Coordinates of all heavy atoms in Angstrom, one line a residue:
A376 N 54.2 176.5 154.5 CA 54.0 175.4 153.6 C 53.1 175.9 152.4 O 52.8 175.1 151.5 CB 53.2 174.2 154.2
T377 N 52.8 177.1 152.3 CA 52.0 177.7 151.2 C 52.8 178.0 150.0 O 53.9 178.6 150.2 CB 51.3 178.9 151.7 OG1 50.5 178.6 152.8 CG2 50.4 179.5 150.6
P378 N 52.5 177.5 148.8 CA 53.3 177.8 147.6 C 53.3 179.3 147.4 O 52.4 180.0 147.7 CB 52.5 177.1 146.5 CG 51.7 176.1 147.2 CD 51.3 176.6 148.5
C379 N 54.4 179.8 146.9 CA 54.6 181.2 146.7 C 53.5 181.8 145.8 O 53.0 182.9 146.1 CB 56.0 181.5 146.0 SG 57.4 180.9 146.9
V380 N 53.1 181.1 144.8 CA 52.1 181.6 143.8 C 50.7 181.7 144.5 O 49.8 182.4 143.9 CB 52.0 180.7 142.6 CG1 53.3 180.8 141.8 CG2 51.7 179.3 142.9
A381 N 50.5 181.1 145.6 CA 49.2 181.2 146.3 C 49.0 182.6 146.8 O 47.9 183.1 146.9 CB 49.1 180.2 147.4
C382 N 50.1 183.3 147.2 CA 50.0 184.7 147.6 C 50.4 185.6 146.6 O 49.8 186.7 146.3 CB 50.8 184.8 148.9 SG 50.3 183.9 150.3
H383 N 51.6 185.3 146.0 CA 52.1 186.2 144.9 C 51.5 185.8 143.6 O 52.1 185.1 142.8 CB 53.6 186.1 144.9 CG 54.3 186.5 146.2 ND1 54.5 187.8 146.6 CD2 54.7 185.7 147.2 CE1 55.0 187.8 147.8 NE2 55.2 186.6 148.2
Q384 N 50.3 186.2 143.4 CA 49.6 185.9 142.2 C 49.8 186.9 141.0 O 50.3 188.0 141.3 CB 48.1 185.8 142.5 CG 47.8 184.7 143.5 CD 46.3 184.6 143.8 OE1 45.5 185.5 143.3 NE2 45.9 183.6 144.6
P385 N 49.5 186.5 139.8 CA 49.7 187.4 138.7 C 48.8 188.6 138.8 O 47.7 188.5 139.2 CB 49.4 186.5 137.5 CG 49.5 185.1 137.9 CD 49.1 185.1 139.4
L386 N 49.3 189.7 138.3 CA 48.5 190.9 138.2 C 47.7 190.9 137.0 O 48.1 190.5 135.9 CB 49.4 192.1 138.2 CG 50.3 192.5 139.4 CD1 51.3 193.5 139.1 CD2 49.4 193.0 140.5
A387 N 46.4 191.2 137.2 CA 45.5 191.2 136.0 C 45.7 192.4 135.2 O 45.2 193.5 135.5 CB 44.0 191.2 136.5
E388 N 46.5 192.3 134.1 CA 46.8 193.4 133.2 C 46.3 193.2 131.8 O 46.5 194.0 131.0 CB 48.3 193.6 133.2 CG 48.9 194.0 134.6 CD 50.4 194.2 134.5 OE1 51.0 193.8 133.4 OE2 51.0 194.8 135.4
G389 N 45.6 192.0 131.6 CA 45.1 191.8 130.3 C 46.2 191.3 129.3 O 46.0 191.4 128.1
T390 N 47.3 190.9 129.8 CA 48.4 190.4 128.9 C 48.4 188.9 128.9 O 47.9 188.3 129.8 CB 49.8 190.9 129.3 OG1 50.0 190.5 130.7 CG2 49.8 192.5 129.4
T391 N 49.1 188.3 127.9 CA 49.2 186.9 127.8 C 50.1 186.3 128.9 O 50.0 185.2 129.3 CB 49.6 186.4 126.4 OG1 50.9 187.1 126.1 CG2 48.6 186.8 125.4
R392 N 51.1 187.1 129.3 CA 52.0 186.7 130.4 C 51.9 187.7 131.5 O 52.7 188.6 131.6 CB 53.4 186.7 129.8 CG 53.6 185.6 128.7 CD 55.0 185.6 128.2 NE 55.9 185.3 129.3 CZ 57.3 185.5 129.1 NH1 57.8 186.0 128.0 NH2 58.1 185.2 130.1
P393 N 50.9 187.6 132.4 CA 50.8 188.6 133.5 C 52.0 188.6 134.5 O 52.6 187.5 134.7 CB 49.5 188.1 134.2 CG 49.4 186.7 133.8 CD 50.0 186.5 132.5
R394 N 52.2 189.7 135.0 CA 53.3 189.8 136.0 C 52.9 189.4 137.3 O 51.8 189.5 137.7 CB 53.8 191.3 136.0 CG 54.2 191.8 134.6 CD 54.5 193.3 134.6 NE 54.6 193.8 133.3 CZ 55.7 193.7 132.5 NH1 56.8 193.1 133.0 NH2 55.7 194.1 131.3
T395 N 53.9 189.0 138.1 CA 53.6 188.5 139.5 C 53.7 189.6 140.5 O 54.6 190.4 140.4 CB 54.7 187.4 139.8 OG1 54.6 186.3 138.9 CG2 54.4 186.8 141.2
R396 N 52.7 189.6 141.4 CA 52.7 190.6 142.4 C 53.7 190.2 143.5 O 53.6 189.1 144.1 CB 51.3 190.7 143.0 CG 51.1 191.8 144.1 CD 49.8 191.6 144.8 NE 48.7 191.5 144.0 CZ 48.0 192.6 143.6 NH1 48.4 193.8 144.1 NH2 47.0 192.5 142.8
L397 N 54.6 191.1 143.8 CA 55.7 190.8 144.8 C 55.4 191.5 146.1 O 55.8 191.0 147.2 CB 57.0 191.2 144.3 CG 57.6 190.4 143.1 CD1 59.0 190.9 142.8 CD2 57.6 188.9 143.4
T398 N 54.7 192.6 146.1 CA 54.4 193.3 147.3 C 52.9 193.4 147.4 O 52.2 193.6 146.4 CB 55.0 194.8 147.3 OG1 54.5 195.5 146.1 CG2 56.5 194.7 147.2
M399 N 52.4 193.3 148.6 CA 50.9 193.3 148.8 C 50.6 193.7 150.3 O 51.5 193.6 151.2 CB 50.3 191.9 148.5 CG 50.9 190.8 149.3 SD 50.7 189.2 148.6 CE 51.7 189.3 147.2
A400 N 49.3 194.0 150.5 CA 48.9 194.3 151.9 C 48.8 193.0 152.7 O 48.4 192.0 152.2 CB 47.5 195.0 151.8
H401 N 49.2 193.1 154.0 CA 49.2 192.0 154.8 C 48.9 192.3 156.3 O 49.4 191.6 157.2 CB 50.5 191.2 154.7 CG 51.7 192.1 154.9 ND1 52.1 192.5 156.1 CD2 52.6 192.6 154.0 CE1 53.2 193.2 155.9 NE2 53.5 193.3 154.7
G402 N 48.2 193.4 156.5 CA 48.0 193.9 157.9 C 47.0 193.0 158.6 O 47.1 192.8 159.8
Q403 N 46.0 192.4 157.9 CA 45.0 191.6 158.6 C 44.7 190.4 157.7 O 45.0 190.4 156.4 CB 43.8 192.3 158.9 CG 43.2 193.1 157.8 CD 42.0 194.0 158.2 OE1 41.5 193.8 159.3 NE2 41.6 194.9 157.3
C404 N 44.1 189.4 158.2 CA 43.9 188.1 157.5 C 43.0 188.3 156.2 O 43.3 187.7 155.2 CB 43.2 187.1 158.4 SG 44.1 186.6 159.9
V405 N 42.0 189.2 156.3 CA 41.1 189.4 155.2 C 41.8 190.1 154.1 O 41.1 190.3 153.0 CB 39.8 190.2 155.7 CG1 39.0 189.3 156.6 CG2 40.2 191.5 156.3
D406 N 43.0 190.6 154.2 CA 43.7 191.2 153.1 C 44.0 190.1 152.0 O 44.1 190.4 150.9 CB 45.0 191.8 153.5 CG 44.8 193.1 154.3 OD1 43.8 193.7 154.1 OD2 45.7 193.5 155.1
C407 N 44.1 188.9 152.5 CA 44.4 187.7 151.6 C 43.3 186.7 151.6 O 43.0 186.1 150.6 CB 45.7 187.0 152.0 SG 47.2 188.0 151.7
H408 N 42.7 186.5 152.8 CA 41.7 185.4 152.9 C 40.3 185.9 152.9 O 40.0 187.0 153.5 CB 42.0 184.6 154.2 CG 43.3 184.0 154.3 ND1 43.7 182.9 153.7 CD2 44.5 184.5 155.0 CE1 44.9 182.6 154.0 NE2 45.4 183.6 154.7
R409 N 39.4 185.2 152.3 CA 38.0 185.6 152.3 C 37.4 185.2 153.6 O 37.7 184.1 154.2 CB 37.3 184.8 151.2 CG 35.8 185.1 151.1 CD 35.1 184.3 150.0 NE 35.3 182.9 150.3 CZ 34.4 182.2 151.1 NH1 33.4 182.9 151.7 NH2 34.6 180.9 151.3
D410 N 36.6 186.0 154.2 CA 35.9 185.8 155.5 C 34.7 184.9 155.2 O 33.7 185.4 154.7 CB 35.5 187.1 156.2 CG 34.9 186.8 157.6 OD1 34.9 185.6 158.0 OD2 34.5 187.8 158.2
P411 N 34.7 183.6 155.6 CA 33.6 182.8 155.3 C 32.4 182.9 156.2 O 31.3 182.4 156.0 CB 34.2 181.3 155.4 CG 35.2 181.5 156.4 CD 35.8 182.9 156.3
H412 N 32.6 183.7 157.3 CA 31.6 183.8 158.4 C 30.7 185.0 158.1 O 31.0 185.9 157.4 CB 32.2 184.0 159.7 CG 33.2 182.9 160.1 ND1 32.8 181.6 160.3 CD2 34.5 182.9 160.3 CE1 33.8 180.9 160.6 NE2 34.9 181.7 160.6
P413 N 29.4 184.9 158.6 CA 28.5 186.0 158.3 C 28.9 187.3 159.0 O 29.8 187.3 160.0 CB 27.2 185.5 158.9 CG 27.6 184.5 159.9 CD 28.9 183.9 159.4

Side-chain angles (χ1 to χ4, degrees):
T377 302
C379 303
V380 294
C382 297
H383 299 282
Q384 297 180 354
L386 292 167
E388 296 181 346
T390 62
T391 56
R392 297 179 60 191
R394 306 174 190 277
T395 301
R396 184 193 302 273
L397 295 183
T398 58
M399 59 198 69
H401 50 77
Q403 52 185 345
C404 300
V405 292
D406 288 334
C407 292
H408 301 280
R409 181 183 62 84
D410 184 4
H412 302 297

